Amino acid sequence: LFFNIILFAVMAIFSFVAGATPAGVVFLLLLGLSAWYAMRVWSRIPFAASNLITAVTAVKANMGLAIYAYWSVLLLFFWSVVWALSAASTIFVDAGCSAEGE
């Protein structure tokens, strides 16, 4: 939350110094929105932290599920590579055909 506020303030200052007034105004608008958002959600941070702690505890208790999730991602990545190679080879073979199928 603080990073966005500081970043937009610095970018607004740099924009005004560089003479890019429209960009500076946009960064000031984003600065205001970020500050408003931080003010609105600040009271919810302890609840979000407790949810995060609960989620991390659940993942640690069920490492088999996490391993299965990572394995699935790897398997689907390799499937996508195989599919892409198959599609590329089909396109390469069919590239010499004319519109009449010759």
Side-chain angles (χ1 to χ4, degrees), residues 10-101:
V10 168
M11 292 303 291
I13 291 169
F14 283 158
S15 296
F16 285 125
V17 168
T21 306
V25 170
V26 169
F27 284 123
L28 282 179
L29 176 69
L30 292 172
L31 169 68
L33 288 173
S34 294
W36 175 77
Y37 175 76
M39 199 171 59
R40 295 291 296 167
V41 300
W42 194 260
S43 63
R44 298 178 182 154
I45 290 176
F47 177 71
S50 65
N51 277 344
L52 182 61
I53 290 169
T54 303
V56 168
T57 304
V59 169
K60 284 181 182 178
N62 298 306
M63 281 306 289
L65 184 62
I67 291 170
Y68 177 75
Y70 290 128
W71 173 250
S72 296
V73 169
L74 286 174
L75 183 66
L76 288 174
F77 171 75
F78 288 121
W79 174 253
S80 298
V81 169
V82 168
W83 189 90
L85 290 173
S86 299
S89 64
T90 302
I91 291 170
F92 178 75
V93 169
D94 288 342
C97 295
S98 65
E100 289 80 31

